[in-house]
């Protein structure tokens, strides 16, 4: 049996920092593609609600905790438990986000991503990456190990589009139990057609691919990696972050960058997380939050493949484990967070 | 003769961080009160231009470098020189700012401050302070010595109003050579009348004073101090930051907080920086940027009392000196910054 953290993470961070990029993409509002929000219109608010949950243990901007149409609660609950137990500070970064959270956040600005089927998705991708690199360079002064998660509803579809435009094989995962893969591929096909692209045709113009069929999270994460050159970076996420690694590869952005995700992503047979990451020559880490032991269905359903990952949950659990937090503490902590989170009255 | 840094700063920061709060107040648009911008309408842009100058060595949001009606350039030039020479990272925090800078910044949100003569100036002062404390608490993980400056046009008038509402004697300084003190007192009198207050009448309700006659910078700075309890904090500014110390005193916010400013403030005979700070039992430090030796009139005029301080210049120079930067390097560096800053074309 594998350890709950696998393989061993061979570094003890002195001043770890958990970053999380919050973005919107209208691609996420296409009915049926995203589970990050009970309805497509609510997905604009999901990232801010995730951030408020983690920073305030309270949700301010929407009346309910984000959950998927299948009833899985947001993985921010697990991230919150991990960061609180380990006392690792979080910093939220907004890039193309419509509804700003009621906490202090670093604003990279940028417009929300458009529907990749009908428009150039992120016209300001280069500017986002540039500003984000500035932030990364700054943060390198203060932390020796930075975990970077994301909250963007619909992000696996844009991740898939970017991977295909850049010519990386591999399948993305889904936060839904019944992965709407055909629907996603249809969206990607229309998007690539729109900009006269096809599998691999934008390999030599990665920025063009991000601009045409990406989302505002991807250039923000890439800029952070670029600015953090010399600092240990652990991308915290599943196939979306794997797509960020693909884009970094295409752009020639290097550095000490690995990726950490949950067991639910590693074991997703419909996706190719491990193959994609290993194909790039990068290290991956898996954290098993042990949610099959949760007393709450909205969390225990993760173990059967709902939600799976997001808001950097896998990386946050890995980071917490490096400070001695146990799997059982993560399970109990997640239950406690979900049972005690404060919601707006009314 | 005094040393150029006086008195000796008895601590060697390991990971210093320069924070700067950017805010707007409509009080600053009353004709004749502020020098931070060539015309009242441009003062909305001044803080962002200052931040861009420091972070990018380039101004993006307005066509020219901020300067006073008297022709003094922004003190951000000195701050930029000090931080670049010493390689101390800066982080900008926006609180009630209309025009956001083209750099990554931490957004505390909050509405721009209203004209204190006609309206409750900062209705969300408590929320700003709360969010700002959250940020301070976070930053305490990463730095052992934090310098906090400000850029808010018209801030000395609101500082004066807050001091008087709280019952602290003392006179604020001005960025203008001919200090419009009578004009400022007239504004403060109207403002206090509006909320049925008088000298000292709000002593037991300091938050009320910030809300009624303050500006969005003050609660942001106070929140940072509160959240940073346990970390060394050096407020970087003149009489506006002295007013922040007064408000901290009234609110019972304690901590290892001192204040650093330029020689031009310490020697301003129309103001009472030293008396105010010593009256609170706080330590002050003075940095002499030596600008009488500048080759550029827009900087050498500081030595005869124009501009004087702002954007944390005094604190930034002090911080740089702790890394071995000399006064001559500050003078030459400031000249170089001003001569080479990139401006928008057209």
């Amino acid at each position: 049996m594998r350890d709950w953290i696998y393989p061993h993470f061979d570094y003890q961070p002195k001043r770890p920092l958990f970053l999380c990029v919050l973005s919107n993409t209208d691609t996420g509002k296409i009915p049926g593609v995203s589970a990050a929000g009970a309805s497509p219109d609510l997905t604009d608010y999901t990232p801010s609600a995730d951030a408020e949950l983690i920073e305030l243990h309270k949700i301010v901007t929407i009346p309910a905790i984000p959950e998927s149409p299948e009833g899985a609660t947001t993985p921010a609950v697990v991230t919150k438990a991990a960061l609180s137990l380990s006392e690792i500070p979080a910093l939220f970064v907004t890039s193309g986000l419509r509804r700003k959270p009621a906490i202090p956040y670093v604003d990279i600005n940028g417009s929300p991503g458009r529907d990749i089927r009908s428009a150039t998705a992120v016209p300001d991708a280069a500017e986002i990456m540039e500003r984000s690199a500035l932030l990364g360079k700054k943060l390198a002064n203060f932390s020796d190990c930075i975990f970077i998660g994301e909250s963007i509803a619909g992000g696996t579809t844009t991740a898939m589009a970017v991977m295909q435009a850049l010519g990386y094989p591999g399948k993305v995962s889904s936060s839904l139990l019944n992965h709407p893969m055909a629907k996603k591929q249809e969206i990607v096909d229309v998007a690539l057609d729109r900009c006269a692209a096809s599998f691999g045709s934008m390999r030599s113009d990665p920025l063009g691919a991000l601009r045409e069929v990406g989302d505002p999270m991807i250039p923000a994460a890439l800029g952070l990696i670029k600015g953090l050159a010399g600092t240990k970076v652990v991308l915290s996420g599943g196939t979306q972050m794997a797509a960020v690694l693909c884009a970094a590869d295409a752009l020639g952005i290097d550095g000490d960058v690995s990726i950490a995700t949950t067991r639910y992503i590693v074991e997703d047979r419909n996706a190719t997380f491990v193959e994609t990451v290993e194909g790039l020559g990068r290290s991956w880490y898996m954290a098993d939050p042990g949610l099959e032991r949760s007393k709450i269905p909205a969390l225990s359903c993760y173990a059967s493949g709902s939600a799976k990952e997001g808001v950097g949950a896998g990386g946050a659990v890995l980071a917490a484990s490096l400070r001695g937090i146990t799997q059982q503490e993560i399970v109990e902590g997640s239950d406690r967070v979900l049972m005690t989170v404060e919601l707006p009255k009314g």
Side-chain angles (χ1 to χ4, degrees), chain A:
Chain A
M1 196 190 117
R2 277 178 174 171
D3 288 326
W4 77 288
I5 304 293
Y6 178 88
H8 177 65
F9 190 82
D10 200 18
Y11 179 75
Q12 184 59 46
K14 283 172 218 59
R15 294 184 303 277
L17 171 62
F18 178 85
L19 290 182
C20 187
V21 180
L22 312 176
S23 306
N24 292 144
T25 165
D26 288 342
T27 311
K29 291 184 180 171
I30 303 171
V33 306
S34 173
S39 74
D41 274 350
L42 278 177
T43 60
D44 273 351
Y45 294 83
T46 299
S48 286
D50 284 340
E52 291 161 0
L53 170 62
I54 291 172
E55 291 288 78
L56 309 174
H57 199 184
K58 180 162 94 176
I59 291 177
V60 182
T61 59
I62 47 172
I65 191 166
E67 66 171 32
S68 77
E70 296 171 352
T73 194
T74 171
V77 168
V78 179
T79 306
K80 163 76 178 163
L83 297 178
S84 293
L85 287 164
S86 59
E87 294 181 1
I88 292 173
L91 187 62
F92 290 86
V93 178
T94 61
S95 169
L97 186 71
R98 281 203 181 83
R99 305 292 165 168
K100 300 302 169 74
I103 56 159
Y105 54 87
V106 181
D107 198 352
I108 298 290
N109 258 312
S111 316
R114 297 185 211 159
D115 182 340
I116 59 174
R117 296 174 307 181
S118 52
T120 296
V122 191
D124 50 357
E127 291 78 9
I128 290 174
M129 203 189 308
E130 201 178 307
R131 287 193 294 268
S132 188
L134 237 139
L135 175 64
K137 212 173 151 191
K138 195 178 298 301
L139 295 173
N141 288 282
F142 299 101
S143 175
D144 60 325
C145 185
I146 298 200
F147 297 80
I148 306 178
E150 51 64 36
S151 175
I152 170 174
T156 53
T157 306
T158 40
M160 180 165 155
V162 167
M163 282 174 70
Q164 295 189 9
L166 296 179
Y168 292 89
K171 287 188 194 135
V172 297
S173 206
S174 168
S175 49
L176 288 162
L177 209 50
N178 289 313
H179 191 163
M181 183 58 97
K183 175 79 191 165
K184 285 185 185 174
Q185 187 60 58
E186 187 191 309
I187 295 168
V188 172
D189 288 343
V190 174
L192 292 177
D193 269 359
R194 178 188 52 75
C195 53
S198 59
F199 187 91
S201 72
M202 301 178 93
R203 182 60 172 259
S204 58
D205 179 21
L207 258 176
L210 301 188
R211 207 160 36 224
E212 286 300 337
V213 300
D215 62 54
M217 183 282 287
I218 300 175
L222 287 164
L224 287 168
I225 297 173
K226 201 173 163 191
L228 284 165
T231 302
K232 198 172 198 56
V233 172
V234 184
L235 294 182
S236 302
T239 44
Q240 281 173 258
M241 284 303 181
V244 168
L245 278 184
C246 293
D249 183 62
L251 282 159
I253 299 176
D254 208 4
D256 180 359
V257 185
S258 58
I259 185 167
T261 191
T262 62
R263 179 167 69 90
Y264 318 122
I265 293 289
V266 171
E267 296 186 350
D268 180 2
R269 285 193 217 145
N270 295 313
T272 60
F273 174 82
V274 170
E275 293 82 339
T276 301
V277 174
E278 292 185 349
L280 297 164
R282 296 285 179 182
S283 302
W284 59 269
Y285 299 93
M286 180 212 86
D288 177 2
L291 295 176
E292 67 279 4
R293 296 203 301 282
S294 164
K295 295 189 171 57
I296 307 176
L299 280 167
S300 59
C301 66
Y302 275 55
S304 41
S306 281
K308 298 186 185 72
E309 165 66 292
V311 202
V317 171
L318 167 64
S321 79
L322 300 172
R323 291 200 161 176
I325 304 303
T326 65
Q327 189 190 46
Q328 188 59 27
E329 286 174 310
I330 296 290
V331 178
E332 287 167 9
S334 301
D335 279 3
R336 200 165 47 235
V337 166
L338 188 50
M339 283 186 297
T340 56
V341 60
E342 196 181 316
L343 299 174
K345 284 167 191 71

